[in-house]
Amino acid sequence: MKTIITTFLFILTLSLQAQETVGGKVVKNAKDKTYQKGEQKGDETVDKALNKIEDGISNLFKKKDKKAKKKKSKDDSEEMSENDNSSSSGSISKTNLKNIKVYSKFDFIPGEKIIGYDDFSTTNIGDFPLGWNTNSSAEVVTIDDSNQRWLFISKDGYFQPDFVKDMPENFTLEFDVFTRYRSNNILEYQFYILPSTNPKRDLSEEYLNDYFQFKWLACEGSSSFYVVENGETVGKNEGFTVKDFICGGNDKEEPTQVKISIWRQNSRLRIYANENKILDIPQAFNSKSKYNVFKIGAKYMNFSENENKDEFMVSNIRYAVGSPDTRSKLITEGKLVTRGILFDVNSDVIKPSSYGVLKDIASVLKENPTVNINIIGHTDSDGDATSNLTLSQNRALAVKNILTSEFKIEENRMQTEGKGEAEPSDSNKTAMGKANNRRVEFIKL
């Protein structure tokens, strides 16, 4: 027993010394990190060593809870079965159907052709992404153990993706926002759509002669919008509540993650927060102006403490050309290509936000009961070709099954096929190209 205690004290001493001395700062257990900032390899090595030390101490002095371990194994197996895409059955789980029905009033239709996309997958952790401009600072991070990358904005200022430019009269713009409010200060998030003769010059300007501005207060859900033409406010609504932006928990420190979808059709502007349409403005755009700038940013974040920062992050920016009537293509041209039916990564589980597209296609099939279709799934080139072929087949089958189960389209009217990565519509060398290649085609038979 003396040997065990001596060993424990020696290991504990090493652990504390390592925490105090590496990199001149405390190295925390990776499980306790809210986000990763691209630490040096030495830090990563110490993290792993410390985790092993902690696990060894825990195993040495704690009795194993067999009941808890058994329950954990059950939870793990359930999670694996939900995300496993090896099955070719293409069946739709009840959980997926329940989630997708939440979006039953979601009428957003993403643009047909992606002309700008950034998920920061090509940006190193800790760096600022290429193709963006700013008058502030930010860095790409990951949250907990997720592979999704975010642009972490911690200071006042604006951030402008250069690929959102020359906005057509019909376009869609989607992005995810993650916020966590930790200070007691007023905190405001906002984005602009505007015409500019010099986007770099106007990046730092808050108020210009022509713009659409949307903003919301951290955690409170209180939101406002302004339409300005020739320096005059011609439309506004201040202080309306968007429940999706409201934080949870007694201390309001629980984060919120919201998908924002923007849809322009000529002068009309619709904005969605998750499945909820929060704005529908018929005269939001000036027909005489050429809109070419989108910028997003925050105010009053500079008051946040370094060790307890407010968190504002964006990810998955998807900019696409819309079409006045994409669904008629299935009937008039015999083919409809959509990139708006989205799936979980490496999975055939359809994301709930795909409801609007599926509903639109189902409407065409109901209006034309003699039309039969072939549903074809396509993937990008990530992974091996055989797995991608199977994945594309399963995804096509999942689309067929949900059209049958949720929208009551007769099963015998639909065939399915998977092409995998074999027929790309764009280059697989860029994130935007890969996003265009992940698509579903509907062919009239």
Side-chain angles (χ1 to χ4, degrees):
M1 186 63 185
K2 288 183 179 179
T3 302
I4 293 175
I5 293 174
T6 302
T7 302
F8 163 67
L9 291 175
F10 176 70
I11 292 172
L12 183 60
T13 301
L14 287 178
S15 172
L16 291 174
Q17 288 176 346
Q19 290 188 36
E20 290 174 354
T21 59
V22 175
K25 64 185 177 214
V26 172
V27 181
K28 298 180 181 179
N29 188 321
K31 298 173 185 176
D32 296 329
K33 291 181 181 178
T34 304
Y35 52 86
Q36 314 295 326
K37 288 191 174 182
E39 303 292 343
Q40 298 297 320
K41 289 291 183 182
D43 287 2
E44 292 175 358
T45 303
V46 173
D47 268 351
K48 291 179 181 179
L50 290 176
N51 287 339
K52 288 182 179 180
I53 291 171
E54 292 168 2
D55 290 342
I57 293 170
S58 176
N59 293 334
L60 185 63
F61 287 93
K62 289 179 65 177
K63 293 182 180 179
K64 293 182 179 179
D65 188 343
K66 294 182 180 180
K67 186 176 181 181
K69 185 177 180 181
K70 185 177 181 180
K71 183 179 186 298
K72 184 178 186 296
S73 299
K74 181 182 178 182
D75 291 342
D76 288 345
S77 64
E78 287 175 352
E79 183 178 351
M80 288 176 63
S81 65
E82 182 178 339
N83 294 314
D84 186 9
N85 66 322
S86 61
S87 171
S88 60
S89 65
S91 60
I92 303 298
S93 68
K94 291 182 179 179
T95 303
N96 190 50
L97 278 176
K98 182 179 178 181
N99 290 339
I100 205 164
K101 285 181 179 179
V102 174
Y103 278 68
S104 60
K105 295 181 180 180
F106 189 62
D107 59 358
F108 176 76
I109 307 295
E112 180 180 344
K113 176 71 173 179
I114 299 173
I115 54 178
Y117 184 84
D118 202 348
D119 59 3
F120 308 118
S121 59
T122 59
T123 303
N124 292 328
I125 302 298
D127 288 348
F128 188 83
L130 296 175
W132 286 69
N133 192 17
T134 184
N135 64 338
S136 183
S137 65
E139 61 183 325
V140 170
V141 303
T142 58
I143 304 173
D144 296 327
D145 297 324
S146 172
N147 291 325
Q148 181 175 353
R149 299 190 177 194
W150 298 81
L151 184 63
F152 179 25
I153 299 167
S154 58
K155 296 183 182 299
D156 292 358
Y158 297 105
F159 300 83
Q160 177 183 305
D162 294 337
F163 56 80
V164 181
K165 57 184 179 180
D166 302 326
M167 297 177 177
E169 291 187 346
N170 290 278
F171 74 84
T172 60
L173 181 61
E174 307 164 71
F175 54 95
D176 297 331
V177 295
F178 178 100
T179 61
R180 177 156 30 205
Y181 184 53
R182 287 172 160 168
S183 68
N184 294 320
N185 300 298
I186 296 173
L187 190 56
E188 183 178 279
Y189 311 121
Q190 52 189 306
F191 62 81
Y192 285 79
I193 300 174
L194 58 103
S196 173
T197 57
N198 191 335
K200 290 183 179 179
R201 178 197 64 200
D202 293 336
L203 175 64
S204 60
E205 297 297 324
E206 183 175 4
Y207 303 112
L208 299 164
N209 286 332
D210 296 274
Y211 61 86
F212 170 83
Q213 179 196 26
F214 181 87
K215 62 183 181 180
W216 70 101
L217 296 179
C219 270
E220 302 299 329
S222 179
S223 307
S224 304
F225 81 84
Y226 303 89
V227 179
V228 176
E229 294 181 4
N230 299 318
E232 180 182 356
T233 301
V234 296
K236 67 177 181 179
N237 189 349
E238 298 176 316
F240 61 94
T241 299
V242 178
K243 66 180 182 63
D244 299 85
F245 294 137
I246 299 175
C247 299
N250 295 329
D251 53 6
K252 295 185 178 180
E253 284 196 9
E254 290 185 12
T256 59
Q257 184 173 330
V258 180
K259 179 179 180 179
I260 296 178
S261 306
I262 300 170
W263 187 3
R264 177 190 180 181
Q265 285 183 305
N266 300 315
S267 64
R268 183 181 182 184
L269 174 65
R270 282 169 282 188
I271 298 179
Y272 305 77
N274 291 331
E275 75 275 12
N276 299 309
K277 184 190 295 184
I278 59 177
L279 286 181
D280 193 343
I281 309 170
Q283 300 293 328
F285 293 95
N286 186 345
S287 60
K288 297 179 181 180
S289 299
K290 183 64 177 178
Y291 292 81
N292 60 342
V293 171
F294 168 77
K295 63 180 182 180
I296 187 167
K299 292 177 66 176
Y300 312 117
M301 293 197 76
N302 292 341
F303 295 100
S304 180
E305 298 175 1
N306 288 333
E307 298 302 321
N308 197 30
K309 290 184 178 180
D310 294 315
E311 296 172 2
F312 180 41
M313 311 185 202
V314 296
S315 185
N316 293 329
I317 297 88
R318 183 184 189 274
Y319 174 47
V321 177
S323 177
D325 189 11
T326 55
R327 73 179 198 168
S328 67
K329 288 188 174 184
L330 181 59
I331 305 303
T332 59
E333 300 179 16
K335 180 179 179 179
L336 172 62
V337 181
T338 178
R339 296 167 178 86
I341 299 177
L342 305 177
F343 300 85
D344 288 347
V345 178
N346 295 327
S347 169
D348 58 4
V349 176
I350 299 173
K351 289 189 175 184
S353 56
S354 307
Y355 193 99
V357 178
L358 292 165
K359 182 180 179 181
D360 209 41
I361 293 168
S363 297
V364 176
L365 295 175
K366 289 178 180 179
E367 292 166 5
N368 300 272
T370 62
V371 171
N372 297 332
I373 59 171
N374 187 24
I375 304 170
I376 305 175
H378 297 266
T379 70
D380 59 32
S381 62
D382 288 350
D384 65 89
T386 301
S387 298
N388 285 334
L389 179 62
T390 301
L391 181 62
S392 66
Q393 293 168 343
N394 289 346
R395 286 179 170 178
L397 190 56
V399 171
K400 173 185 175 180
N401 287 345
I402 207 162
L403 285 172
T404 299
S405 59
E406 176 64 17
F407 298 97
K408 311 306 178 187
I409 304 301
E410 295 88 345
E411 186 176 358
N412 59 9
R413 294 177 59 190
M414 297 177 285
Q415 300 177 11
T416 64
E417 186 179 354
K419 297 286 189 179
E421 62 186 69
E423 297 181 5
S425 64
D426 205 338
S427 170
N428 276 303
K429 295 181 179 180
T430 66
M432 184 181 77
K434 290 178 183 180
N436 272 315
N437 290 331
R438 297 189 293 266
R439 66 196 191 277
V440 179
E441 295 181 354
F442 297 83
I443 309 296
K444 185 170 71 170
L445 299 175

